[in-house]
Amino acid sequence: MSNYRAVQVTKGSSGWGGPLTILPTDEKPYIASITGGGIHPVAAQIAELTGGIAVDGFTNKVEPDEMACVIIDCGGTARIGVYPKLGVLTVDVMASSPSGPLINFIKETNFVSGVKVNNVELTNEVAAAAVSTAGDQQKKSAQELKAEARAKVASMQSNQPQRKTGFIEKVGRLMGGVVSTFYQAGRDTVDQVLRNILPFMAFVSTLIGIILFTGIGDVMANIIKPLAGNLIGLLIISIVCALPFLSPLLGPGAVIAQVVGVLVGVEIGRGTIPPQLALPALFAINPQVGCDFVPVGLTLGEAKPETIEVGVPAVLMSRQITGPIAVVIAYVASFGLYTE
């Protein structure tokens, strides 16, 4: 029985799936490389560490039931799902996520993507078990095992005709990588829009409709209007708008800020409010802006639930402090801005 070793393959940057544990056997000794011709460095690394046989799948026919794993460079069309459907552990060197007509067969247990050479590591447990033999054979270190694997792979590959990667193949791989990157980016964008942005837009639209239909915005604007003519009133406005339990309700669509902004602008035009208060008034009516978006923004940033629980109140409380401070700074900065 051959002395094979197991490796763990983890996803690379922007990759998906895994980790996969790959252990060739006498029945499945082949590491098939189907990446546009030649043996991909990832396939060579897996074969080197496991003691498996790296095979160019474009020039040598290998049956799926003889593959320990397959290395592909698919951006998300056919190959990405063909081998998972056939029950073959699939390693994609492109940073692809499940897609295509065979998407239902692609699982984290049989597929990993974005893989580079440094994402392939010899597993300590299997390596330690593999060094002992049935007899009195002396134990070998991991370095010796790797050396044996390199010698075995070199011996197997010496029987195959060596050829250099042609210019056309290099250009094809380069263009394939570029196209795959943009293709995956497009899929991720559409996925984000469908899963997060559109539902949030529907929620905001509903909330704005409720505010406009009930007249809450007009009521709040009329209450706030008399306070907009002096610094103390502006500070009161900023404190009220930034109240943690109120700011998320005032934030959607910046309805309150828009209504109050129009009212303040009209009063400045009439001469009832000094024009130098325009800048501090802008900050006074806006401390609540975005407070409704905090949990959604953290979710889009893939924050953990614990982070969201702490982050949302932290932002709301910070607005309560920074809102009035911003009004004071704006009031000072407005000196001399409006002179006749």
Side-chain angles (χ1 to χ4, degrees), residues 109-130:
T109 54
N110 61 14
F111 179 86
V112 64
S113 66
V115 178
K116 308 297 181 186
V117 173
N118 56 5
N119 296 122
V120 181
E121 296 181 352
L122 192 67
T123 59
N124 295 329
E125 294 80 3
V126 179

mmCIF file of all heavy atoms in Angstrom, residues 109-130:
data_model
loop_
_atom_site.group_PDB
_atom_site.id
_atom_site.type_symbol
_atom_site.label_atom_id
_atom_site.label_comp_id
_atom_site.label_asym_id
_atom_site.label_seq_id
_atom_site.Cartn_x
_atom_site.Cartn_y
_atom_site.Cartn_z
ATOM 1 N N THR A 109 -18.265 21.456 1.451
ATOM 2 C CA THR A 109 -17.589 20.194 1.753
ATOM 3 C C THR A 109 -16.921 19.558 0.533
ATOM 4 O O THR A 109 -16.164 18.593 0.683
ATOM 5 C CB THR A 109 -18.595 19.193 2.341
ATOM 6 O OG1 THR A 109 -19.708 19.058 1.439
ATOM 7 C CG2 THR A 109 -19.106 19.677 3.687
ATOM 8 N N ASN A 110 -17.207 20.080 -0.683
ATOM 9 C CA ASN A 110 -16.585 19.491 -1.871
ATOM 10 C C ASN A 110 -15.971 20.526 -2.803
ATOM 11 O O ASN A 110 -15.516 20.182 -3.899
ATOM 12 C CB ASN A 110 -17.601 18.642 -2.654
ATOM 13 C CG ASN A 110 -18.790 19.472 -3.155
ATOM 14 O OD1 ASN A 110 -18.766 20.699 -3.150
ATOM 15 N ND2 ASN A 110 -19.830 18.781 -3.598
ATOM 16 N N PHE A 111 -15.940 21.795 -2.369
ATOM 17 C CA PHE A 111 -15.452 22.851 -3.261
ATOM 18 C C PHE A 111 -14.755 23.934 -2.442
ATOM 19 O O PHE A 111 -15.207 24.308 -1.358
ATOM 20 C CB PHE A 111 -16.626 23.458 -4.027
ATOM 21 C CG PHE A 111 -16.237 24.577 -4.962
ATOM 22 C CD1 PHE A 111 -15.806 24.298 -6.257
ATOM 23 C CD2 PHE A 111 -16.290 25.901 -4.558
ATOM 24 C CE1 PHE A 111 -15.446 25.329 -7.120
ATOM 25 C CE2 PHE A 111 -15.936 26.932 -5.406
ATOM 26 C CZ PHE A 111 -15.517 26.640 -6.700
ATOM 27 N N VAL A 112 -13.648 24.428 -2.983
ATOM 28 C CA VAL A 112 -12.926 25.549 -2.377
ATOM 29 C C VAL A 112 -12.324 26.369 -3.510
ATOM 30 O O VAL A 112 -11.897 25.825 -4.531
ATOM 31 C CB VAL A 112 -11.837 25.057 -1.397
ATOM 32 C CG1 VAL A 112 -10.761 24.255 -2.117
ATOM 33 C CG2 VAL A 112 -11.207 26.229 -0.653
ATOM 34 N N SER A 113 -12.332 27.696 -3.371
ATOM 35 C CA SER A 113 -11.862 28.549 -4.474
ATOM 36 C C SER A 113 -10.883 29.602 -3.981
ATOM 37 O O SER A 113 -10.682 29.789 -2.774
ATOM 38 C CB SER A 113 -13.059 29.235 -5.148
ATOM 39 O OG SER A 113 -13.678 30.154 -4.264
ATOM 40 N N GLY A 114 -10.294 30.306 -4.958
ATOM 41 C CA GLY A 114 -9.299 31.329 -4.647
ATOM 42 C C GLY A 114 -8.012 30.746 -4.094
ATOM 43 O O GLY A 114 -7.264 31.440 -3.401
ATOM 44 N N VAL A 115 -7.732 29.498 -4.407
ATOM 45 C CA VAL A 115 -6.621 28.778 -3.778
ATOM 46 C C VAL A 115 -5.284 29.136 -4.438
ATOM 47 O O VAL A 115 -5.160 29.137 -5.659
ATOM 48 C CB VAL A 115 -6.860 27.261 -3.859
ATOM 49 C CG1 VAL A 115 -5.681 26.498 -3.261
ATOM 50 C CG2 VAL A 115 -8.157 26.899 -3.150
ATOM 51 N N LYS A 116 -4.317 29.439 -3.593
ATOM 52 C CA LYS A 116 -2.935 29.638 -4.019
ATOM 53 C C LYS A 116 -2.074 28.532 -3.426
ATOM 54 O O LYS A 116 -2.534 27.730 -2.607
ATOM 55 C CB LYS A 116 -2.416 31.002 -3.573
ATOM 56 C CG LYS A 116 -3.308 32.178 -3.971
ATOM 57 C CD LYS A 116 -3.426 32.331 -5.472
ATOM 58 C CE LYS A 116 -4.298 33.516 -5.840
ATOM 59 N NZ LYS A 116 -4.550 33.623 -7.298
ATOM 60 N N VAL A 117 -0.825 28.519 -3.820
ATOM 61 C CA VAL A 117 0.078 27.473 -3.337
ATOM 62 C C VAL A 117 0.183 27.485 -1.816
ATOM 63 O O VAL A 117 0.225 26.437 -1.167
ATOM 64 C CB VAL A 117 1.471 27.636 -3.982
ATOM 65 C CG1 VAL A 117 2.472 26.670 -3.354
ATOM 66 C CG2 VAL A 117 1.386 27.388 -5.491
ATOM 67 N N ASN A 118 0.204 28.697 -1.234
ATOM 68 C CA ASN A 118 0.358 28.775 0.220
ATOM 69 C C ASN A 118 -0.906 28.406 0.980
ATOM 70 O O ASN A 118 -0.919 28.414 2.208
ATOM 71 C CB ASN A 118 0.816 30.176 0.633
ATOM 72 C CG ASN A 118 -0.118 31.267 0.147
ATOM 73 O OD1 ASN A 118 -1.172 30.983 -0.425
ATOM 74 N ND2 ASN A 118 0.250 32.510 0.360
ATOM 75 N N ASN A 119 -1.988 28.086 0.266
ATOM 76 C CA ASN A 119 -3.205 27.622 0.924
ATOM 77 C C ASN A 119 -3.244 26.108 1.062
ATOM 78 O O ASN A 119 -4.241 25.561 1.549
ATOM 79 C CB ASN A 119 -4.449 28.084 0.153
ATOM 80 C CG ASN A 119 -4.612 29.591 0.126
ATOM 81 O OD1 ASN A 119 -4.662 30.200 -0.947
ATOM 82 N ND2 ASN A 119 -4.682 30.205 1.290
ATOM 83 N N VAL A 120 -2.188 25.443 0.639
ATOM 84 C CA VAL A 120 -2.100 23.986 0.727
ATOM 85 C C VAL A 120 -1.084 23.625 1.802
ATOM 86 O O VAL A 120 0.084 23.987 1.706
ATOM 87 C CB VAL A 120 -1.675 23.372 -0.624
ATOM 88 C CG1 VAL A 120 -1.613 21.849 -0.513
ATOM 89 C CG2 VAL A 120 -2.628 23.795 -1.725
ATOM 90 N N GLU A 121 -1.542 22.949 2.841
ATOM 91 C CA GLU A 121 -0.666 22.607 3.954
ATOM 92 C C GLU A 121 -0.814 21.133 4.326
ATOM 93 O O GLU A 121 -1.923 20.577 4.276
ATOM 94 C CB GLU A 121 -0.991 23.474 5.179
ATOM 95 C CG GLU A 121 -0.738 24.968 4.966
ATOM 96 C CD GLU A 121 -1.044 25.766 6.211
ATOM 97 O OE1 GLU A 121 -1.602 25.174 7.168
ATOM 98 O OE2 GLU A 121 -0.729 26.976 6.235
ATOM 99 N N LEU A 122 0.297 20.538 4.704
ATOM 100 C CA LEU A 122 0.301 19.158 5.168
ATOM 101 C C LEU A 122 -0.334 19.107 6.547
ATOM 102 O O LEU A 122 0.015 19.882 7.432
ATOM 103 C CB LEU A 122 1.732 18.631 5.225
ATOM 104 C CG LEU A 122 1.941 17.129 5.426
ATOM 105 C CD1 LEU A 122 1.447 16.359 4.218
ATOM 106 C CD2 LEU A 122 3.407 16.838 5.692
ATOM 107 N N THR A 123 -1.313 18.246 6.731
ATOM 108 C CA THR A 123 -1.976 18.156 8.035
ATOM 109 C C THR A 123 -1.111 17.368 9.003
ATOM 110 O O THR A 123 -0.589 16.303 8.677
ATOM 111 C CB THR A 123 -3.346 17.474 7.898
ATOM 112 O OG1 THR A 123 -3.153 16.169 7.342
ATOM 113 C CG2 THR A 123 -4.265 18.277 6.995
ATOM 114 N N ASN A 124 -0.978 17.915 10.202
ATOM 115 C CA ASN A 124 -0.083 17.313 11.192
ATOM 116 C C ASN A 124 -0.557 15.931 11.626
ATOM 117 O O ASN A 124 0.226 15.015 11.786
ATOM 118 C CB ASN A 124 0.022 18.223 12.416
ATOM 119 C CG ASN A 124 0.691 19.538 12.079
ATOM 120 O OD1 ASN A 124 1.533 19.583 11.194
ATOM 121 N ND2 ASN A 124 0.306 20.597 12.781
ATOM 122 N N GLU A 125 -1.877 15.793 11.800
ATOM 123 C CA GLU A 125 -2.390 14.530 12.316
ATOM 124 C C GLU A 125 -2.109 13.376 11.365
ATOM 125 O O GLU A 125 -1.600 12.343 11.743
ATOM 126 C CB GLU A 125 -3.905 14.631 12.551
ATOM 127 C CG GLU A 125 -4.305 15.604 13.635
ATOM 128 C CD GLU A 125 -4.306 17.042 13.165
ATOM 129 O OE1 GLU A 125 -4.034 17.260 11.958
ATOM 130 O OE2 GLU A 125 -4.546 17.941 13.973
ATOM 131 N N VAL A 126 -2.441 13.596 10.075
ATOM 132 C CA VAL A 126 -2.255 12.522 9.105
ATOM 133 C C VAL A 126 -0.784 12.284 8.852
ATOM 134 O O VAL A 126 -0.337 11.168 8.688
ATOM 135 C CB VAL A 126 -2.989 12.857 7.792
ATOM 136 C CG1 VAL A 126 -2.777 11.761 6.759
ATOM 137 C CG2 VAL A 126 -4.475 13.015 8.075
ATOM 138 N N ALA A 127 -0.010 13.344 8.818
ATOM 139 C CA ALA A 127 1.422 13.194 8.585
ATOM 140 C C ALA A 127 2.059 12.388 9.692
ATOM 141 O O ALA A 127 2.889 11.518 9.460
ATOM 142 C CB ALA A 127 2.078 14.568 8.493
ATOM 143 N N ALA A 128 1.637 12.623 10.933
ATOM 144 C CA ALA A 128 2.195 11.888 12.047
ATOM 145 C C ALA A 128 1.814 10.420 11.985
ATOM 146 O O ALA A 128 2.588 9.543 12.333
ATOM 147 C CB ALA A 128 1.708 12.496 13.365
ATOM 148 N N ALA A 129 0.575 10.160 11.530
ATOM 149 C CA ALA A 129 0.130 8.769 11.429
ATOM 150 C C ALA A 129 0.770 8.061 10.258
ATOM 151 O O ALA A 129 0.972 6.857 10.290
ATOM 152 C CB ALA A 129 -1.392 8.715 11.304
ATOM 153 N N ALA A 130 1.079 8.803 9.203
ATOM 154 C CA ALA A 130 1.573 8.166 7.993
ATOM 155 C C ALA A 130 3.019 7.741 8.101
ATOM 156 O O ALA A 130 3.468 6.893 7.343
ATOM 157 C CB ALA A 130 1.414 9.117 6.817
#
